[in-house]
Amino acid sequence: MPVALDAWEPVHTDLSAHTQPPGPSGLDQTPTDWIAEHHGTPNGHLLRVRNNTMLATLTSGRPIHLMHSTLALDAIRATGELQGAAGCLVGALYCAPLTEAADGLRPHNLGAYLLETKPDTTTLVLEVRPERPAPAKGLNYLRLGGIHLATYQRHRSFLTAAEDHRLQQAAVRRVRETAGFLDQLLAEARGMRTAPQHAFFDHLAAAVEHFPFLGYLYFETLSEYLLLHSTSQGTRTYAAAGEMNNRLYKELAFTAVETMGRLFDLALFNPDHAQLTELIGRIEPGLAAGAGDYTRRRLPHLFACAALGDSADVAAVSLRDVATDFDLLTAAAPHLVGQLIFREMRTLPRYPALFPVFEQAKATSVYDYWNRQEIAAPFNAVLPKGEIGLNLAFPRTSVTVWRAEACERGLLHPTEQLDLLPVPRLADLRGTALGRAAFPGPAATRSTGSSAITALAAPASAA
């Protein structure tokens, strides 16, 4: 039984609206309050459809041009298929936008960054021709906890009793080890100050090791701060083209975590107070002073929304009280449990065998939602910064694919049309960057078909 379609609605954000999903009750600032605050930032105008080139294109009904980077062109040719990869776009083929120019296709600054940093990959250009305009609805992967939990509950029969026990006990243990700080986050989301600034961030940095999902929230909070508040010349240049400055969060990640170049793993993102100030100062000195205050307000809010869902009362939940039993914890914080189970499952030795069961179920379900919503090219709506994908299951569009080369001006030029069929199936885990890093061995190189087809332009959340 698939995840119910209505379960995907609160995971998506409609950027044409001026409101957000409500979030749990008792918050000091509602999600809609935050949207209003964000619109008032230096780059807040890029949250509006008419000012964001990617969003304007998606909602226009005109052809959409995307670029995709891959190391697996030979395998793609052999199968004649385009397949997806798990990550922040839940099974879409991960891409970056392109804009038609007089003498080529201009990559979005995210795509330009990928062209610069992945010189050994092959670039594909996709032209997507939808029948009608799409809504400006993107997916917020931070709110996927309910989907993760529902998928686990419906497919538990694929786990051994020992595996299931391990997942449940690990979820309880991780909450128990960090319950004091997690309750502190819920209190801060209600508007309470629970500790001095220095201590708050030092506790946060220490908690990430035991509770990896906090690293994702921490990174996305600081990325949001940088992208919305930056006033650098580069940011202004990109904003004039209707784009958010992706180089800011790329620099944030690679500066903060030494090993990020080998595997983009946000579970390792945990700067303490002193490191946070130094980190932001190196990226844009003028933003260093405000980074702590912004994160102190924003991260607890995001945690409460991601952990509890929209029907809970923040004031009524104490994670310390329920960190003794899996069922109690699930009842109190179902979305948090979903995030924990999702990440803990990756540590199971049998995860390569379980991956197509659990992750394909989510992908198939969201394809169905996107098809009903007329979404041919889903995007990451944590911010509309340029992370976009191809809905491989969309029946009402035509897709043409070319191999492309970049000229000295950085423009892309199609050189060879490829006869490829979008297939709504995830590539085998062992053909992805995550699979190769976590499950090395002969099986990772034996693949000759679809298992080698993967998007190497991996999203931040794919780790």
Side-chain angles (χ1 to χ4, degrees):
M1 183 177 180
V3 176
L5 287 180
D6 58 3
W8 285 104
E9 188 64 28
V11 180
H12 286 75
T13 301
D14 187 348
L15 290 169
S16 65
H18 299 295
T19 60
Q20 293 283 295
S25 61
L27 294 169
D28 181 51
Q29 290 180 267
T30 68
T32 299
D33 293 337
W34 274 107
I35 279 291
E37 179 174 327
H38 287 162
H39 280 165
T41 61
N43 301 306
H45 63 288
L46 295 172
L47 298 173
R48 298 186 185 279
V49 173
R50 66 178 181 273
N51 298 324
N52 187 299
T53 300
M54 178 185 74
L55 298 179
T57 299
L58 292 179
T59 57
S60 69
R62 299 192 304 269
I64 303 163
H65 292 92
L66 307 173
M67 64 162 279
H68 169 72
S69 298
T70 182
L71 284 171
L73 181 59
D74 288 343
I76 292 173
R77 287 183 187 275
T79 62
E81 296 181 356
L82 285 174
Q83 297 181 2
C88 69
L89 296 177
V90 197
L93 183 74
Y94 185 83
C95 301
L98 296 167
T99 300
E100 289 187 271
D103 49 356
L105 292 165
R106 181 182 63 80
H108 187 283
N109 70 85
L110 172 60
Y113 175 88
L114 295 173
L115 289 172
E116 293 171 17
T117 58
K118 296 181 180 291
D120 298 327
T121 61
T122 298
T123 302
L124 303 182
V125 165
L126 290 74
E127 183 180 79
V128 183
R129 291 183 172 271
E131 288 185 353
R132 55 183 67 92
K137 294 180 77 169
L139 188 145
N140 184 339
Y141 81 95
L142 298 178
R143 296 178 66 96
L144 277 171
I147 302 294
H148 294 321
L149 179 62
T151 305
Y152 158 72
Q153 290 172 332
R154 289 191 174 101
H155 294 85
R156 285 177 64 189
S157 66
F158 288 83
L159 299 168
T160 67
E163 288 168 340
D164 196 29
H165 180 74
R166 171 176 166 175
L167 294 180
Q168 294 194 8
Q169 291 304 111
V172 172
R173 173 178 53 80
R174 289 191 183 279
V175 174
R176 184 172 62 247
E177 290 173 346
T178 53
F181 181 70
L182 300 181
D183 280 347
Q184 185 179 339
L185 288 177
L186 294 178
E188 298 254 344
R190 301 197 308 270
M192 299 172 59
R193 280 290 175 123
T194 61
Q197 189 95 315
H198 192 284
F200 175 88
F201 283 98
D202 290 350
H203 293 160
L204 170 60
V208 171
E209 180 179 354
H210 301 280
F211 207 95
F213 182 56
L214 289 177
Y216 290 74
L217 290 172
Y218 195 0
F219 175 78
E220 292 294 353
T221 300
L222 284 177
S223 296
E224 180 183 83
Y225 174 70
L226 287 169
L227 268 66
L228 289 174
H229 291 84
S230 172
T231 56
S232 71
Q233 181 58 54
T235 297
R236 293 199 299 271
T237 299
Y238 294 138
E243 300 175 4
M244 289 187 159
N245 185 359
N246 287 257
R247 294 175 185 268
L248 293 169
Y249 72 82
K250 295 292 187 181
E251 186 175 355
L252 174 69
F254 288 101
T255 303
V257 182
E258 182 179 353
T259 60
M260 203 67 91
R262 293 195 291 273
L263 181 66
F264 207 105
D265 186 0
L266 294 176
L268 303 176
F269 186 86
N270 66 336
D272 60 23
H273 186 263
Q275 292 167 336
L276 167 63
T277 303
E278 178 187 5
L279 182 62
I280 300 301
R282 290 172 63 180
I283 297 171
E284 189 159 338
L287 297 182
D293 285 339
Y294 181 89
T295 305
R296 182 78 182 266
R297 290 191 301 120
R298 182 62 167 158
L299 191 147
H301 171 90
L302 291 177
F303 174 76
C305 291
L308 305 182
D310 295 339
S311 61
D313 180 353
V314 178
V317 176
S318 169
L319 294 172
R320 191 191 303 270
D321 291 345
V322 297
T324 57
D325 177 81
F326 183 79
D327 291 337
L328 285 176
L329 180 60
T330 301
H335 293 236
L336 185 64
V337 169
Q339 295 285 3
L340 288 166
I341 290 289
F342 166 61
R343 285 167 175 79
E344 203 64 40
M345 192 176 293
R346 294 177 175 184
T347 70
L348 294 177
R350 263 194 345 117
Y351 184 57
L354 298 170
F355 173 85
V357 174
F358 289 89
E359 298 310 314
Q360 185 65 56
K362 297 171 199 172
T364 300
S365 179
V366 79
Y367 294 149
D368 192 8
Y369 174 85
W370 290 335
N371 290 348
R372 295 170 188 270
Q373 293 285 319
E374 299 293 333
I375 296 173
F379 63 93
N380 181 1
V382 175
L383 281 179
K385 56 193 176 184
E387 292 184 309
I388 190 170
L390 175 67
N391 173 3
L392 295 157
F394 196 67
R396 291 177 297 281
T397 190
S398 63
V399 179
T400 309
V401 185
W402 292 270
R403 182 175 180 173
E405 300 290 342
C407 68
E408 66 279 358
R409 296 175 56 200
L411 299 176
L412 286 177
H413 302 273
T415 59
E416 176 192 3
Q417 186 170 340
L418 303 176
D419 185 16
L420 299 178
L421 177 68
V423 176
R425 181 168 62 243
L426 296 182
D428 187 278
L429 175 67
R430 292 185 187 275
T432 68
L434 172 63
R436 289 191 298 271
F439 302 97
T445 58
R446 258 200 318 268
S447 304
T448 58
S450 63
S451 60
I453 303 173
T454 181
L456 293 190
S461 57

